[in-house]
Amino acid sequence: MTKLLRTFYNVSKHLTSPPTKLALVVRGDLKMSKGKTAAQCAHAAVICVQDSQESNNERNRELLQSWLAMGQPKIVLKVDKYEELMKLQEESSRKGVTAALVQDAGRTQLAAGTATVLGIGPDTVENIDKLVGHLKLL
C-alpha cells in the first residue's frame, strides 16, 4: 500500500506541471539494424535520465521527476546525416535542454566512436517540439 500511495502522490503532484517528453533522434544514414537502433536509443534514454538526475540545474531535475511520474513519454525521430545530429545537440545545449549523444563502442556493426543517436530531454513538450518538430518519425 505504501508504494501505491507514493505513486499516487508523485502523479498527482505533477498533474499541474506542463507535459514533458524525451526525443530520441536516430541517424538514418547509418542503416542500423532494428536491434542495434533499439539498443542505441535505450543508451540515449538512460544517459539523458542520468544527466538530468545529476544536473546542477534544479529545473532539469524537476522536469525529470515530472516525466517519470507521467509515464516517460518518448518519441523516436530521424535525421539524414551526422551534421544534423550535431546541430540539434548544439541547439539543445544553447537552450539549456539536456542532450546526450551516443557513440558506438564498435563491437558489432559500426566503427568505434560513431555517433548514432541523440537523446534530447526530458523537457517540456513545447521545448522539445521547438527543437525537433520539423523531423520525421523513424
Side-chain angles (χ1 to χ4, degrees):
M1 186 67 164
T2 309
K3 187 175 181 179
L4 179 63
L5 288 174
R6 188 171 45 245
T7 301
F8 176 74
Y9 172 75
N10 286 335
V11 170
S12 63
K13 184 169 82 170
H14 295 286
L15 287 176
T16 59
S17 300
T20 56
K21 71 178 171 184
L22 182 136
L24 300 162
V25 184
V26 178
R27 277 184 61 190
D29 61 318
L30 296 177
K31 308 294 183 211
M32 294 181 284
S33 70
K34 290 176 185 175
K36 181 71 167 179
T37 301
Q40 299 297 295
C41 285
H43 290 317
V46 168
I47 295 167
C48 282
V49 167
Q50 290 173 330
D51 287 354
S52 293
Q53 283 175 330
E54 297 168 3
S55 176
N56 291 328
N57 184 328
E58 184 176 336
R59 177 186 171 277
N60 286 348
R61 292 192 310 270
E62 288 175 2
L63 285 165
L64 172 65
Q65 291 308 311
S66 179
W67 180 75
L68 290 169
M70 299 310 293
Q72 309 94 42
K74 295 166 236 30
I75 186 167
V76 183
L77 307 158
K78 65 180 176 178
V79 292
D80 294 324
K81 54 188 177 179
Y82 171 80
E83 292 79 14
E84 291 177 77
L85 207 61
M86 295 300 94
K87 183 179 175 190
L88 280 172
Q89 184 180 31
E90 290 170 17
E91 283 182 57
S92 299
S93 179
R94 197 171 54 250
K95 293 182 178 187
V97 177
T98 299
L101 181 67
V102 176
Q103 294 180 294
D104 195 66
R107 294 189 195 103
T108 56
Q109 300 173 16
L110 303 170
T114 302
T116 58
V117 176
L118 179 67
I120 303 174
D123 210 299
T124 64
V125 168
E126 180 181 0
N127 287 343
I128 297 293
D129 287 349
K130 284 178 185 175
L131 289 164
V132 300
H134 63 286
L135 299 177
K136 293 183 179 180
L137 293 172
L138 179 65

